[in-house]
Amino acid sequence: MTAVGLVPSAPAVGAATARAASASGRPGFDLVTDGVAVEVFVDAADDPAVLRAADDLRADVERVCAVRPAVRHDLPERAAALVLVGTLGASPVIDRLVAQGRLDVRGVKGRWEASVTQVVERPAPGVDRALVIAGSDRRGTVYGVYDTSERIGVSPWYWWADVPVERRDTVTVPAGPCKRLEPAVRYRGVFINDEQNLTTWSHRTQETDKNIGPETYRRLFELLLRLKANYLWPAMHPYSDFFNKYRENPELADRYGIVVGSSHPEALLRNGVHEWDPWAEEHRGADGGLPVYDYTVNPAVVSDYWRARARENAAYESSWTIGMRGLHDTALETKYATTIPEKVVVMNDIIADQRRILAEEVGAAAEPQIFIPYKEVLDLYNAGVQVPEDITLIWPDDNHGNMRQLPNETERVRPGGNGIYYHLSYWGRPRSYLWLDTTQLAKVWQELCRVYEHGVDRMWIFNVGDLKSMETGLSFSMDMAWDVDRWDAEDAGGAGVEGFLGEWYGRQFGLRHAREIAALRTEYYRLAAERRPEFIDRSMFSVIHHGDEAGRRLAAYDRLLQRTVALGSELPADCRDAFFELLQYPVHGAYLMNLKYYWADRNALAVRQGRGAGTNRFADLAEAAHAQEAALTKRYNTEVASGKWDGCINPYPSQIPKAPGRPAVTRVARQETSGLGVVAEGNETGAQRPLSFSSVTRDRRFVDVFNTGFLAVTWTAEADRPWVRLSSAGGTLTEQTRVWVEIDWEQVPEGAHEVTVAFTSGERRFEVPVKVVDDAERARRRARGFVEANGWVSIDAVHTERRVARGGARWRTVRGLGRRGAAVEAVPSTAVPVTSDLAARAPELRYRVRFSSTGTFPVTVFRLPSLDERGARRLAVALDDRPPAVLSGQAVATGNRGDAWARNVEEGVEKLTATVTVTAPGEHVLRVFMVDPAIAVDQIVIDTGGLPAGAYLAPPESYHPVFNPEPDTAAGLDAPGR
């Protein structure tokens, strides 16, 4: 078998490049032929990072072909083929090829981390042909090496996610030249944070005498380089060993070519959690007292503490965090500065002191220097902290993927540039999400595009928690950091976020299944966008409205899981572990987390409804789902990859706040009785709210029939109109069953009807009122837009009648964003807000709506909760030509629990409500205007009097002759015992 140009992650070394090289008529380069591998040459004087990566290339060839190439540091006297690896300016052999004009380094030489891979004929006396991998600097060469590894079929995740390497007898790569130009973002890396699970795993499986030590970091450094990252904030919590505890750690990082920095509370590479107390003990005051970490109290002691680390790590390529917060990620402590202006003065003194230390101990090599205005430090920065121009400003998100603030025009031109600190994982308020990768890639894409449009291109750092489970999100983020324009979520041709998923999973499991896996992962992210599985709690989703919205959601999860399991069964046996880690466990785990809370909610409702045996049945189902979840996680930790990941996966690490767990359930004592109970959809008890049916939406509604005791009860059901269909006309039950009510629209007379469905058992009779409105088929044919039915209109925002661009701004579709599969966003994010004459100046969305009701009605716009702490988050709505009403969203991240910001990040949307007045039935135009740019709208709901209170999601989308000609009336999970 021969592998030619397997698609790598790099845009410049993709399938099109490989085809172009082949089309040139030049044959590819055989790395291995008939069991013989081509030797690898690398100059012994090249950087240690390059020599080490060349060894990884040899190991990768062996993974593919079971033969390891020899390495040599001198040119052979005679060779038919040779791999030449080297850095421009550090490899005389490669420099000679450049000088001779035989190696094309245009766009590479003199650039940051760029590389070229090219076959050169007769590169040296006695050598017939060479595959040259040349970098502009040491990391450029390393990335060129790993590009080649990926092209021959070695995934960056071969170790960290057990992605198998397909064995081949012969491996060929394109002749080239294949260029990787310099990255969009200079420093690209991760923060290992809230790393309790990773620490447990590392201690159990990597270094039993340490809590994350050199062996773990060695694996991490390699992964980062394979992902084309170059930067790390290491683990920093009390349960892990601090990075500089083992001097091998910074030495290893430098040998690999990884730039090591530190997070917002760790000034000048100091880990306050572990290092301050010993330092304070050694530097007691004259009175014997321990100094505190407060620059207004002990400036000299604190300054010397920083200076010691600067001197110790001066020889390594490092990033230096400037500024100060409290120990262990707490707020800045300033005993003698209590007001904001006073704290600003103190922070300015701190920065000046730290800059002096770096100049004296590190010198010109003390770069990059970064200032991170995280949480309360952002308030100080905005109040006047003076950050020197050559320091990089690192802008934080709100810990939930929404950028809080971006640089203004003055900040964008600073020589130090700008960066971001962005969370793919988070511990803290209002809730934590550490377990699974649940941030929609389209949301990451949207925010990173917004960031880049604002000139933020110096440093992107991603909080990835324990790393495991973040494989997909991290890979996407690193791809974006290298080439921010590669993936376009607006592109309907497949190059968007789902295109990334297809390509990425295709590289892990083969192109045959790539499209299906991409679709599965996209649906997984969509369901998480409704509510992250880590945010599930009691009574989140309604079990009584919209056909049991919680049950409908679980049905979607169930379908997703069945498709996932079915696809996994088709994969080769050696792919099963990787598939479980990358897709099956996240899907199944998220499903079970939702499922156990669904049954617990049904159990609690059953108690209120007075159910008998069925109450206990729901309790059993909730606890069974929790047990299944525990068993699934145990399988990950003890069976997958032969127990390799022992301790790395745990939904409930002991340190996590506000984590969902095992929901409490209630059981009722058995009584030797029976009785009939009936509850209609839309009611917690009884049937006061009628079942509503419209010929426009052709609805399906349920009635729960249950036993109030434990002995069997016999029941019957009958409607007083022949065109009302029941899924069951009666029977005998011990627990409960769900009866579905539908209308035979071909038989029902035109007009409005009030119907009764009666449920009887012996002398007991329950009547469920039913309202049926038949507008006849011509009403459907007449409609040109969305049609009001059952007291509301529900619209997916992407389903516009028309979009109007104005003033250089427009609304674009972002596929894969929001709760419904796509959202619309006002772009560019740098557009000027429109605050007057909106109908003539603001970009507009138009929706045609047919109303049967008249009156003044609430209209709610579901927007994605983006922020702008220097500006506002506004849009406007209007009906027809009436004046628009401006709606203001939450612009500031408070960091609290229980307020508007907290609700928005928990729900993933912000609901903004105005009113519209319909003066006459018929067709109208609903208009949505951009006021501030980068506003993304997901759904729009108009309540004309029938919208139930208590639902979490918007109603299913209303009838539309084009976008939704067959409204979704699919059932959720039926109650057991049917």
Side-chain angles (χ1 to χ4, degrees):
M1 298 176 64
T2 302
V4 182
L6 294 179
V7 180
S9 60
V13 198
T17 306
R19 285 193 296 271
S22 301
S24 68
R26 301 183 63 200
F29 187 90
D30 294 337
L31 288 173
V32 177
T33 306
D34 297 330
V36 178
V38 174
E39 291 183 323
V40 176
F41 167 85
V42 58
D43 197 295
D46 212 322
D47 193 272
V50 174
L51 273 68
R52 193 207 56 76
D55 280 339
D56 274 356
L57 177 61
R58 298 168 58 221
D60 289 341
V61 171
E62 184 177 23
R63 290 182 178 101
V64 177
C65 294
V67 56
R68 181 182 288 256
V71 65
R72 59 185 309 136
H73 303 300
D74 57 347
L75 289 173
E77 293 183 3
R78 181 75 185 92
L82 190 67
V83 176
L84 297 178
V85 176
T87 307
L88 299 178
S91 175
V93 173
I94 290 177
D95 289 344
R96 186 163 56 249
L97 292 175
V98 174
Q100 295 169 351
R102 304 179 63 202
L103 182 64
D104 182 3
V105 293
R106 289 170 299 177
V108 173
K109 187 176 182 179
R111 302 300 178 90
W112 178 265
E113 298 178 346
S115 66
V116 58
T117 302
Q118 177 184 334
V119 172
V120 176
E121 309 294 337
R122 296 179 299 281
V127 179
D128 296 339
R129 206 163 189 248
L131 177 70
V132 181
I133 303 172
S136 61
D137 52 30
R138 65 173 182 162
R139 278 190 294 270
T141 308
V142 170
Y143 297 149
V145 167
Y146 285 132
D147 275 348
T148 303
S149 292
E150 195 163 0
R151 287 215 304 277
I152 67 174
V154 179
S155 168
W157 295 97
Y158 79 93
W159 194 87
W160 280 98
D162 302 299
V163 176
V165 177
E166 184 179 349
R167 287 297 183 95
R168 297 177 176 86
D169 299 325
T170 300
V171 175
T172 303
V173 295
C178 298
K179 292 183 180 178
R180 174 183 286 278
L181 305 182
E182 65 181 10
V185 178
R186 176 160 288 212
Y187 294 100
R188 311 161 306 280
V190 303
F191 182 18
I192 300 297
N193 191 219
D194 310 309
E195 64 279 0
Q196 185 179 357
N197 292 341
L198 190 71
T199 301
T200 301
W201 165 80
S202 177
H203 179 76
R204 288 180 183 176
T205 68
Q206 303 301 298
E207 301 154 285
T208 56
D209 61 333
K210 299 178 178 68
N211 292 313
I212 305 185
E215 289 307 309
T216 302
Y217 280 115
R218 188 191 307 271
R219 293 286 188 183
L220 177 60
F221 296 154
E222 180 189 333
L223 172 67
L224 291 177
L225 292 173
R226 287 180 183 268
L227 293 174
K228 313 305 181 288
N230 60 10
Y231 186 61
L232 173 71
W233 289 354
M236 51 79 71
H237 278 291
Y239 35 73
S240 59
D241 295 333
F242 66 98
F243 189 74
N244 279 278
K245 179 177 181 179
Y246 308 111
R247 293 310 301 165
E248 188 179 354
N249 282 341
E251 293 167 2
L252 270 174
D254 202 57
R255 196 179 313 147
Y256 273 73
I258 295 295
V259 181
V260 176
S262 54
S263 62
H264 36 276
E266 301 177 282
L268 270 59
L269 299 178
R270 273 296 195 179
N271 181 288
V273 175
H274 290 280
E275 298 190 87
W276 173 256
D277 285 347
W279 180 271
E281 185 64 43
E282 294 173 1
H283 295 79
R284 288 180 176 270
D287 60 354
L290 283 171
V292 294
Y293 191 64
D294 184 333
Y295 197 80
T296 68
V297 176
N298 311 289
V301 177
V302 174
S303 181
D304 288 346
Y305 169 72
W306 291 330
R307 183 179 293 275
R309 176 52 41 76
R311 180 181 301 132
E312 189 176 44
N313 281 35
Y316 307 125
E317 188 178 8
S318 303
S319 165
W320 303 93
T321 297
I322 302 297
M324 189 176 184
R325 292 193 81 222
L327 294 174
H328 200 189
D329 203 7
T330 56
L332 176 68
E333 295 181 22
T334 49
K335 181 178 180 179
Y336 298 116
T338 58
T339 67
I340 292 292
E342 290 171 342
K343 291 182 179 182
V344 167
V345 172
V346 173
M347 186 65 78
N348 287 335
D349 290 343
I350 288 169
I351 292 173
D353 189 12
Q354 292 169 336
R355 298 267 287 178
R356 184 165 50 250
I357 290 170
L358 290 175
E360 294 169 358
E361 300 295 341
V362 186
E367 61 176 21
Q369 296 174 28
I370 65 175
F371 180 80
I372 312 164
Y374 185 73
K375 292 191 174 179
E376 85 286 344
V377 179
L378 180 62
D379 297 331
L380 298 182
Y381 173 79
N382 288 335
V385 168
Q386 298 300 306
V387 180
E389 291 284 293
D390 61 331
I391 292 179
T392 303
L393 296 174
I394 305 296
W395 302 97
D397 69 342
D398 67 344
N399 307 316
H400 294 264
N402 308 293
M403 293 306 302
R404 296 179 59 178
Q405 181 172 307
L406 292 173
N408 57 30
E409 291 183 7
T410 301
E411 291 159 341
R412 285 201 286 270
V413 299
R414 300 172 75 260
N418 295 271
I420 60 166
Y421 169 39
Y422 194 86
H423 289 76
L424 300 175
S425 170
Y426 177 63
W427 184 103
R429 296 178 179 176
R431 294 174 187 263
S432 305
Y433 57 103
L434 303 171
W435 178 36
L436 301 175
D437 173 16
T438 52
T439 302
Q440 279 183 311
L441 296 193
K443 179 181 178 65
V444 176
W445 178 86
Q446 176 200 18
E447 289 291 312
L448 295 186
C449 286
R450 179 183 169 207
V451 159
Y452 199 75
E453 285 180 343
H454 280 77
V456 180
D457 61 2
R458 190 61 56 90
M459 181 180 291
W460 288 3
I461 184 82
F462 296 91
N463 189 321
V464 294
D466 291 304
L467 182 64
K468 283 298 287 179
S469 89
M470 297 296 157
E471 300 93 342
T472 307
L474 173 57
S475 295
F476 179 73
S477 298
M478 288 299 104
D479 266 23
M480 286 280 292
W482 191 281
D483 185 355
V484 73
D485 296 323
R486 173 82 191 281
W487 308 108
D488 184 357
E490 186 180 18
D491 180 8
V497 171
E498 196 161 343
F500 163 82
L501 289 169
E503 181 178 309
W504 191 81
Y505 277 102
R507 293 200 304 273
Q508 318 310 320
F509 302 113
L511 296 178
R512 175 187 170 192
H513 302 290
R515 182 170 295 182
E516 172 68 358
I517 297 177
L520 295 175
R521 189 76 184 193
T522 298
E523 175 66 356
Y524 161 81
Y525 282 127
R526 186 194 68 79
L527 289 166
E530 292 181 343
R531 187 92 181 182
R532 294 186 195 266
E534 298 93 339
F535 292 0
I536 293 300
D537 209 335
R538 300 302 297 263
S539 304
M540 288 287 102
F541 294 88
S542 173
V543 297
I544 63 173
H545 295 306
H546 302 320
D548 184 355
E549 74 171 10
R552 292 164 64 93
R553 172 175 160 84
L554 266 295
Y557 259 123
D558 185 66
R559 291 190 296 271
L560 175 63
L561 177 60
Q562 297 311 313
R563 289 172 60 191
T564 302
V565 171
L567 189 149
S569 67
E570 297 180 18
L571 295 175
D574 64 350
C575 289
R576 300 285 170 79
D577 287 343
F579 186 78
F580 183 86
E581 295 171 43
L582 295 177
L583 193 67
Q584 187 169 333
Y585 179 82
V587 168
H588 201 171
Y591 168 64
L592 291 172
M593 184 70 80
N594 280 271
L595 185 65
K596 67 184 179 183
Y597 276 87
Y598 172 72
W599 292 128
D601 284 347
R602 294 288 300 272
N603 167 257
L605 181 59
V607 172
R608 297 194 294 273
Q609 293 171 341
R611 301 193 190 197
T615 301
N616 295 348
R617 175 65 166 159
F618 289 141
D620 293 343
L621 288 167
E623 296 198 335
H626 182 78
Q628 286 180 273
E629 179 202 284
L632 187 74
T633 299
K634 182 179 180 181
R635 176 184 169 190
Y636 201 140
N637 287 306
T638 62
E639 297 177 25
V640 168
S642 301
K644 175 180 177 180
W645 301 112
D646 186 15
C648 202
I649 301 298
N650 180 7
Y652 317 108
S654 61
Q655 302 295 323
I656 185 171
K658 301 293 287 183
R662 182 175 186 166
V665 293
T666 301
R667 285 184 168 80
V668 295
R670 179 180 177 88
Q671 296 181 1
E672 301 302 312
T673 60
S674 66
L676 182 67
V678 173
V679 178
E681 177 181 337
N683 298 274
E684 278 212 354
T685 59
Q688 293 81 7
R689 183 184 179 97
L691 301 180
S692 296
F693 295 86
S694 168
S695 61
V696 174
T697 47
R698 299 179 179 178
D699 313 284
R700 186 178 189 227
R701 307 291 184 203
F702 69 83
V703 178
D704 279 346
V705 181
F706 58 87
N707 190 346
T708 60
F710 287 78
L711 301 179
V713 61
T714 301
W715 62 281
T716 61
E718 183 179 18
D720 62 1
R721 296 291 191 278
W723 34 263
V724 177
R725 295 176 175 174
L726 306 178
S727 62
S728 175
T732 300
L733 59 80
T734 303
E735 297 174 351
Q736 55 235 335
T737 192
R738 180 161 280 181
V739 176
W740 289 96
V741 183
E742 296 181 88
I743 306 299
D744 183 349
W745 294 105
E746 293 184 358
Q747 302 299 323
V748 63
E750 185 176 342
H753 308 273
E754 293 189 0
V755 183
T756 299
V757 178
F759 295 82
T760 59
S761 176
E763 299 298 318
R764 292 186 64 83
R765 175 182 173 89
F766 296 89
E767 292 186 350
V768 174
V770 176
K771 291 187 175 181
V772 180
V773 177
D774 184 4
D775 289 331
E777 184 61 27
R778 67 175 178 272
R780 276 187 162 215
R781 292 196 300 267
R782 259 197 333 262
R784 294 187 292 165
F786 292 96
V787 180
E788 175 197 355
N790 301 315
W792 69 76
V793 180
S794 182
I795 300 169
D796 288 359
V798 294
H799 292 157
T800 53
E801 177 81 13
R802 184 184 173 196
R803 303 182 191 186
V804 182
R806 295 188 178 108
R810 65 186 179 90
W811 292 91
R812 71 176 173 193
T813 296
V814 182
R815 295 180 298 117
L817 181 63
R819 295 174 167 185
R820 297 291 296 166
V824 286
E825 179 190 19
V827 292
S829 64
T830 53
V832 176
V834 181
T835 57
S836 63
D837 198 13
L838 299 179
R841 300 177 55 229
E844 179 183 349
L845 303 169
R846 294 181 183 175
Y847 305 89
R848 194 180 297 275
V849 181
R850 184 164 70 83
F851 290 96
S852 54
S853 305
T854 59
T856 298
F857 305 124
V859 55
T860 300
V861 178
F862 291 59
R863 81 165 189 99
L864 282 300
S866 58
L867 302 172
D868 184 354
E869 300 201 3
R870 284 173 168 164
R873 302 278 77 199
R874 297 165 296 182
L875 52 79
V877 296
L879 192 67
D880 301 325
D881 294 325
R882 293 174 182 267
V886 175
L887 305 177
S888 294
Q890 180 75 19
V892 176
T894 64
N896 298 327
R897 291 193 178 101
D899 63 6
W901 168 82
R903 182 177 62 252
N904 295 345
V905 297
E906 288 177 343
E907 296 185 2
V909 296
E910 181 175 28
K911 300 171 186 175
L912 304 178
T913 300
T915 59
V916 293
T917 299
V918 180
T919 57
E923 291 201 345
H924 297 263
V925 176
L926 180 69
R927 308 169 73 186
V928 178
F929 300 94
M930 180 202 91
V931 177
D932 293 304
I935 289 282
V937 179
D938 192 19
Q939 293 168 284
I940 305 166
V941 177
I942 306 169
D943 180 6
T944 59
L947 195 67
Y952 175 89
L953 300 172
E957 190 176 32
S958 298
Y959 171 84
H960 189 287
V962 175
F963 298 123
N964 194 26
E966 299 296 332
D968 178 17
T969 59
L973 295 182
D974 283 347
R978 179 172 176 171

